[in-house]
Amino acid sequence: MGISYNQEARVFRLDTPGSTYLISLVDEMGFVCHAYYGRKIPDDNMNYLLRVNPQFLPFRESGQQTNVLDELPLEYPCHGLGDFRESCLRVETEEGHRVCGLTYLSHKIYGGKPALPGLPATHGGQEDCATLELRCRDEALGLEVSLLYTAFENLDVICRSARIENCGDRPLRLTAALSACLDMDNRSFDLITLHGSWAYERMINRRPLSWGKQGVSSRRGISSHQEQPFLALAERDANQSHGQVYAMHFVYSGNFIAQAEMRQQELVRVVMGIDTESFGWKLGPGESFQTPEAVLAYSSTGLDGMTHALHDLYRRHLTRGPWRDKPRPSLVNNWEATYFDFDSDKLLDIARTAAGRGIEMLVLDDGWFGCRNTDDNSLGDWFVNEKKLPGGLKRLADEINKLGMKFGLWVEPEMVSPDSELFRAHPDYALQIPGRSPMLSRTQLVLDLSREEVRRCVYDQLHKVLSSANIEYVKWDMNRSLTDVAGFCLEADRQGELFHRYVLGVYDLQERLLHDFPDLLLENCASGGGRFDPGMLYYSPQIWTSDNTDAIDRLRIQEGTALIYPLSTMGAHVAACPSHTNGRVTPFETRGLVSLPGCFGYELDLTKLTGEELDMIPGQLENYRKYGPVFHGGDYYRLASYGENQEYDALMAVSKDKRVAVVDYVHVMSRQQRRSVLLALRGLDEEKRYRSSESGEIRSGAGWMYGGLLLPTMKGDFLGKLIVLEEV
Ligand code: DGJ
């Protein structure tokens, strides 16, 4: 078991294959201190790192109590007693007092990992992980907090969350309930975050950690296009394959804060959790609040180590269901092909062309329901528009099935259009404040999914639709941020709970869906990648990466996404050209190469392709069939970044048994008289011998890695090549 307690030293020890995490109980008060996190060490007692001046202990008798608390590295800091840095837990009493401090009460260590009720979370059995529950208490408040830590046996990952219980007899109000804190000394850290905007998600940003507070957050009700609930501290000289990296990633899909703070003595505090500004939670006597989970990953082998730990964790211990490990079907989606302008005949034309080339599924996107021919009506009216689809979804799905293809469907269950039967019947179902007209976005409002009757109304409709035909895939969309966040049914002192209750409502709906349709392949989406987070991955093994389908823009978007998410989670389609996003013209082949590593599909009118383009499809699908499993299940390496060099892009995946490696190279901008590009490969077995599909040359893994792979010289822009190395 990777967790133990040294009673003499009063130290909890959490071990993963390459890291050690030590928690120390300090003073007879039992402060729960963070003693060490980093490369694996045999020592238990590392208390010298805490730098507590012995003269200041015992704490109660010390005249310097605030000096102790303000510099003590703590596991779950509170507020108002002398630690003036960011706190994880903030509590207000009925009298309005705002002070809280936790000390050790008891603990439990056991194999496996408990589920977090109503929340997405990583999972693992006795053989995969061990859990420590550290119970702490604030005597004066009658408040108890269980800090949960799970250490994974085969991954350098520790997952944390907190359960907060009001054990007193008077109500308390939580004004902050974060999930994790990491106190450390600065070691010339860089801060890495992913920022973006609609159609330009997850751009990698790396800058030196500086004084004060810095970080990212969302208050949009979704994790957002703009910020990712992730941050990493990397030693300044850390690169892809060298140096120490500490990452935190939040398994949650709503408002969040991810913040690093550097203060006096270069003390660094990293915190992650539900955003505090938009949060409040009333905790009655006997009630408890479970925070979502934060994932901590440690790497001593640079960004590769962090990426691999997160990829493996999400593939094995976060995603669930029959589609987790199965090859995902190639598909054609009609959105960029037709937008709202389609009928059964048009869809069947596309399907016939697709089936003839071997595409496995047709996905019917927005516009099949109510009277929706534009985006300003009908959300909430989940019944089929028979004018467009005579005979309903059943007839269409049957026809598509007859072609040997699966049928998938788009829905947007969280929304309501003011121009809809649902809104006319139940205007109070939408989030809004009486006396204030709610803000529209894409002419739609957000349903108050914190209410069970609203969820039931939407779910019953969905259930009926999905039972009406052979629908094997659902794309669950969500196309606006939350505003006017007020609930008709919540008391005034609980309105601050609504953002979180909304997210719990979304989770509840998706859980019901998976329960009732266990074989369904669910893909999440939020105007592209507006809710691409580990929380959603618990429900759907894949997410639509971005509404930006231009192959060249996608290079950077997918690079940032793949830094922390497995390629098997990224929806990636060969889209129409000139690009509907930016008008760029790129070769069909290159669009295929850029989409290949993800969940591969087409998003254009296949009936309008040239014969030459149509002829390329079977080859692209064959590559997806052969190498999709290597991209999706193997180890990913970023070899070159177009975002950095402005010239070319290259990624590589190596199968877990190291017998096959695939290099996906895109030559973006030609440069005059460039010598051929040399790529130092990674992740191969030094001893094995591999043949290159490009040159036919056979070389050792060591040769390909330390000598490198010479790429073919290419004339022209936006070209590319797939190179496969297979063991001989
Ligand atoms: C936003 C999605 O990202 C698109 O792929 C498409 O489904 C539209 N919504 C439909 O309204």
Side-chain angles (χ1 to χ4, degrees):
M1 178 131 54
I3 302 185
S4 58
Y5 180 52
N6 179 333
Q7 201 153 357
E8 205 183 320
R10 298 178 78 206
V11 170
F12 296 95
R13 178 186 180 87
L14 288 73
D15 281 315
T16 68
S19 74
T20 298
Y21 188 110
L22 299 178
I23 302 166
S24 271
L25 301 178
V26 167
D27 190 65
E28 59 248 32
M29 293 276 295
F31 292 114
V32 183
C33 295
H34 178 70
Y36 175 82
Y37 186 31
R39 199 184 268 260
K40 195 162 194 164
I41 52 170
D43 316 70
D44 275 350
N45 194 335
M46 298 291 281
N47 281 2
Y48 69 99
L49 293 173
L50 301 172
R51 264 86 123 224
V52 188
N53 185 336
Q55 287 176 351
F56 294 169
L57 296 176
F59 181 78
R60 275 196 218 281
E61 289 160 30
S62 157
Q64 303 294 348
Q65 293 175 348
T66 66
N67 299 21
V68 174
L69 275 179
D70 203 25
E71 291 189 5
L72 206 55
L74 289 167
E75 281 295 322
Y76 201 67
C78 304
H79 70 125
L81 292 172
D83 179 349
F84 299 105
R85 296 162 287 181
E86 188 75 38
S87 36
C88 279
L89 181 64
R90 291 208 285 272
V91 186
E92 199 178 300
T93 62
E94 277 182 310
E95 296 80 15
H97 300 153
R98 296 174 185 186
V99 166
C100 176
L102 295 173
T103 49
Y104 170 80
L105 187 64
S106 63
H107 73 269
K108 278 197 283 196
I109 296 173
Y110 50 87
K113 182 175 192 297
L116 304 185
L119 283 166
T122 57
H123 46 80
Q126 306 248 357
E127 62 295 351
D128 303 311
C129 53
T131 298
L132 162 68
E133 280 190 35
L134 238 174
R135 206 161 168 83
C136 313
R137 185 171 167 83
D138 180 310
E139 197 65 50
L141 292 176
L143 185 79
E144 294 189 5
V145 177
S146 293
L147 303 177
L148 279 82
Y149 300 80
T150 297
F152 280 83
E153 289 285 324
N154 294 315
L155 297 171
D156 288 327
V157 164
I158 290 171
C159 292
R160 289 192 56 178
S161 71
R163 196 169 52 239
I164 302 154
E165 277 177 76
N166 183 349
C167 300
D169 49 17
R170 303 180 60 192
L172 296 170
R173 192 177 136 73
L174 308 181
T175 57
L178 302 189
S179 298
C181 169
L182 191 56
D183 278 352
M184 292 187 282
D185 286 8
N186 185 23
R187 274 181 258 147
S188 287
F189 281 130
D190 279 348
L191 176 65
I192 302 175
T193 55
L194 301 173
H195 70 97
S197 57
W198 172 74
Y200 224 67
E201 298 90 342
R202 293 172 293 284
M203 298 292 119
I204 299 172
N205 183 239
R206 180 171 179 164
R207 68 266 193 202
L209 182 71
S210 185
W211 296 101
K213 293 178 178 178
Q214 52 241 270
V216 289
S217 66
S218 166
R219 290 180 195 142
R220 294 166 186 266
I222 50 176
S223 45
S224 86
H225 303 84
Q226 287 72 12
E227 311 289 356
Q228 173 67 205
F230 159 84
L231 65 72
L233 293 179
E235 288 177 330
R236 187 108 347 122
D237 64 349
N239 58 25
Q240 286 296 343
S241 51
H242 158 90
Q244 300 200 79
V245 182
Y246 296 84
M248 258 200 213
H249 205 184
F250 199 27
V251 188
Y252 189 61
S253 312
N255 294 345
F256 72 89
I257 169 177
Q259 180 182 281
E261 173 184 7
M262 185 162 73
R263 288 229 335 210
Q264 58 174 345
Q265 321 286 2
E266 292 201 55
L267 286 169
V268 176
R269 169 166 290 175
V270 182
V271 293
M272 178 167 276
I274 295 178
D275 170 60
T276 52
E277 192 129 317
S278 52
F279 173 82
W281 198 274
K282 187 173 165 188
L283 207 58
E287 287 179 354
S288 63
F289 180 83
Q290 171 66 54
T291 74
E293 177 169 83
V295 171
L296 276 63
Y298 168 78
S299 165
S300 57
T301 53
L303 294 170
D304 280 352
M306 173 197 81
T307 297
H308 293 163
L310 294 176
H311 284 197
D312 285 344
L313 181 78
Y314 297 156
R315 283 186 295 212
R316 288 191 226 145
H317 300 290
L318 182 62
T319 45
R320 304 172 290 167
W323 284 102
R324 187 184 79 164
D325 304 317
K326 272 206 260 178
R328 310 289 163 65
S330 58
L331 61 85
V332 56
N333 176 304
N334 75 309
W335 180 240
E336 289 196 16
T338 65
Y339 295 102
F340 296 103
D341 185 17
F342 62 83
D343 57 19
S344 298
D345 289 343
K346 176 73 206 163
L347 295 171
L348 285 170
D349 275 351
I350 295 177
R352 273 187 285 270
T353 317
R357 304 300 180 292
I359 297 173
E360 293 162 286
M361 177 160 68
L362 180 126
V363 176
L364 172 54
D365 211 281
D366 196 351
W368 56 267
F369 54 93
C371 31
R372 190 156 163 105
N373 292 313
T374 49
D375 65 9
D376 58 2
N377 65 82
S378 297
L379 292 170
D381 297 345
W382 300 108
F383 42 84
V384 77
N385 180 345
E386 295 248 2
K387 280 193 198 134
K388 283 177 163 178
L389 307 174
L393 293 172
K394 168 124 182 71
R395 187 182 297 169
L396 179 64
D398 285 351
E399 289 296 320
I400 286 169
N401 288 165
K402 271 191 227 151
L403 295 168
M405 293 176 78
K406 296 179 191 298
F407 176 65
L409 190 68
W410 176 99
V411 291
E412 192 177 0
E414 298 165 58
M415 298 292 152
V416 63
S417 308
D419 180 7
S420 66
E421 291 183 19
L422 179 67
F423 188 74
R424 282 186 281 276
H426 299 287
D428 64 301
Y429 278 13
L431 290 174
Q432 57 189 302
I433 297 174
R436 182 185 279 279
S437 45
M439 292 291 162
L440 291 171
S441 177
R442 213 191 189 203
T443 329
Q444 63 198 54
L445 297 171
V446 184
L447 288 170
D448 181 356
L449 293 184
S450 72
R451 289 167 62 184
E452 168 56 22
E453 68 271 38
V454 179
R455 294 203 294 277
R456 203 175 326 114
C457 163
V458 177
Y459 187 72
D460 287 349
Q461 292 192 62
L462 270 189
H463 193 283
K464 209 162 149 195
V465 169
L466 296 182
S467 311
S468 73
N470 186 20
I471 299 168
E472 298 183 68
Y473 160 108
V474 161
K475 175 179 173 187
W476 178 303
D477 203 350
M478 195 285 183
N479 282 304
R480 63 159 291 179
S481 303
L482 274 58
T483 60
D484 305 277
V485 179
F488 276 80
C489 297
L490 276 185
E491 300 130 42
D493 60 355
R494 287 196 179 272
Q495 290 287 339
E497 301 175 12
L498 197 47
F499 270 112
H500 182 55
R501 286 186 184 276
Y502 176 85
V503 179
L504 295 178
V506 175
Y507 292 152
D508 175 58
L509 276 181
Q510 297 208 352
E511 191 66 49
R512 283 190 214 185
L513 194 69
L514 297 179
H515 176 269
D516 293 349
F517 301 93
D519 295 326
L520 190 72
L521 171 56
L522 184 63
E523 174 171 287
N524 267 290
C525 169
S527 297
R531 205 164 53 184
F532 203 126
D533 57 61
M536 297 321 291
L537 282 185
Y538 184 67
Y539 303 93
S540 66
Q542 60 188 64
I543 300 177
W544 182 227
T545 311
S546 176
D547 273 349
N548 189 335
T549 48
D550 166 59
I552 303 307
D553 280 354
R554 270 288 181 124
L555 293 174
R556 289 188 67 190
I557 296 170
Q558 294 181 184
E559 178 189 352
T561 308
L563 180 70
I564 51 177
Y565 293 105
L567 304 175
S568 59
T569 64
M570 296 191 317
H573 300 168
V574 175
C577 193
S579 163
H580 291 191
T581 319
N582 59 16
R584 190 174 352 241
V585 176
T586 48
F588 194 78
E589 189 182 354
T590 306
R591 280 177 270 154
L593 285 175
V594 174
S595 304
L596 184 65
C599 298
F600 185 76
Y602 296 85
E603 184 144 347
L604 37 66
D605 189 345
L606 294 171
T607 64
K608 294 194 178 133
L609 291 183
T610 63
E612 204 185 327
E613 288 170 331
L614 283 172
D615 288 347
M616 276 187 231
I617 293 179
Q620 291 177 331
L621 293 173
E622 178 62 5
N623 279 341
Y624 183 54
R625 193 187 61 73
K626 270 168 73 182
Y627 306 119
V630 181
F631 286 120
H632 290 190
D635 291 327
Y636 159 87
Y637 294 89
R638 168 57 47 183
L639 300 181
S641 160
Y642 163 63
E644 274 171 26
N645 63 33
Q646 303 297 305
E647 217 185 318
Y648 60 93
D649 203 83
L651 63 88
M652 173 184 183
V654 185
S655 63
K656 287 282 181 189
D657 61 10
K658 295 190 184 286
R659 299 182 66 171
V660 187
V662 198
V663 176
D664 199 6
Y665 169 69
V666 177
H667 168 90
V668 183
M669 299 301 281
S670 271
R671 217 181 79 183
Q672 198 199 6
Q673 293 200 325
R674 202 201 197 296
R675 288 181 83 198
S676 45
V677 173
L678 182 65
L679 283 180
L681 304 186
R682 301 204 293 285
L684 299 174
D685 182 333
E686 292 190 3
E687 310 282 318
K688 283 191 187 344
R689 297 183 68 73
Y690 300 88
R691 176 186 285 114
S692 155
S693 63
E694 177 62 15
S695 62
E697 287 167 313
I698 297 175
R699 201 159 284 137
S700 68
W704 289 118
M705 291 194 290
Y706 311 131
L709 172 78
L710 273 189
L711 291 166
T713 320
M714 291 180 175
K715 277 202 167 176
D717 297 334
F718 312 140
L719 303 173
K721 198 94 210 177
L722 190 74
I723 300 168
V724 181
L725 297 180
E726 259 169 306
E727 188 190 3
V728 288

